[in-house]
Amino acid sequence: MKPDEYQQVIDELQVVIDDTQRTIDRFEATGMDEQMPGDYEKLLDILDGAVKQQREHVMAMLG
């Protein structure tokens, strides 16, 4: 991949991270994290996966 392609993927993953974090914040603010623990866990998994993928792309771009 070219550096600009890595950057595009990194930027798109940041959108996923930001959107997921906002959803998690709303879950927590409304108590849905306790009412829907399975869905809350899925959101945390999505966030974790996106952060890990973003880190991998950053390291590949720098390497």
Side-chain angles (χ1 to χ4, degrees):
M1 287 182 109
K2 297 177 184 177
D4 60 327
E5 293 171 324
Y6 280 115
Q7 189 61 54
Q8 181 180 355
V9 172
I10 291 166
D11 293 344
E12 290 177 12
L13 284 165
Q14 188 62 50
V15 171
V16 172
I17 291 166
D18 292 343
D19 289 348
T20 305
Q21 186 61 59
R22 280 192 293 275
T23 303
I24 289 170
D25 291 344
R26 286 194 310 269
F27 255 65
E28 293 171 346
T30 60
M32 290 174 60
D33 54 326
E34 295 175 11
Q35 295 174 13
M36 302 173 67
D39 290 338
Y40 182 68
E41 275 299 314
K42 288 178 186 176
L43 287 169
L44 294 175
D45 290 344
I46 291 168
L47 180 62
D48 184 56
V51 169
K52 286 178 181 175
Q53 289 178 44
Q54 188 183 53
R55 183 178 19 231
E56 290 172 5
H57 281 83
V58 168
M59 297 306 290
M61 182 174 73
L62 297 175

